[in-house]
Amino acid sequence: QSRHSRHLGACAAALQRFGDLGDSGDLAVAAEQLRLARRELGRITGHVGAEEVLDVIFRDFCVGK
């Protein structure tokens, strides 16, 4: 499906950015790229983490604004 392809492409891009950092990269930036890759895979497999739920709550229900 095109949705799977889009998420897989975003995952691959995040992993590429992670790999491009090398050993001298910022640890926080590396962790963020891995987090983004995991999130994209989760969107394919249906795994939803707490972070995604909180994103929806804050985006759709105006909590904390």
Side-chain angles (χ1 to χ4, degrees):
Q1 293 185 5
S2 64
R3 179 179 69 84
H4 292 149
S5 179
R6 187 174 59 250
H7 290 305
L8 192 57
C11 176
L15 290 173
Q16 182 64 50
R17 289 188 301 268
F18 171 78
D20 290 344
L21 291 171
D23 291 335
S24 62
D26 181 7
L27 187 57
V29 174
E32 176 66 9
Q33 295 310 311
L34 291 176
R35 186 190 67 78
L36 291 173
R38 185 203 54 83
R39 183 180 71 185
E40 294 299 330
L41 283 178
R43 289 180 175 172
I44 294 170
T45 63
H47 179 270
V48 178
E51 183 175 310
E52 287 82 11
V53 173
L54 290 174
D55 285 346
V56 170
I57 290 171
F58 281 97
R59 182 186 67 231
D60 295 348
F61 298 104
C62 299
V63 174
K65 290 185 179 179

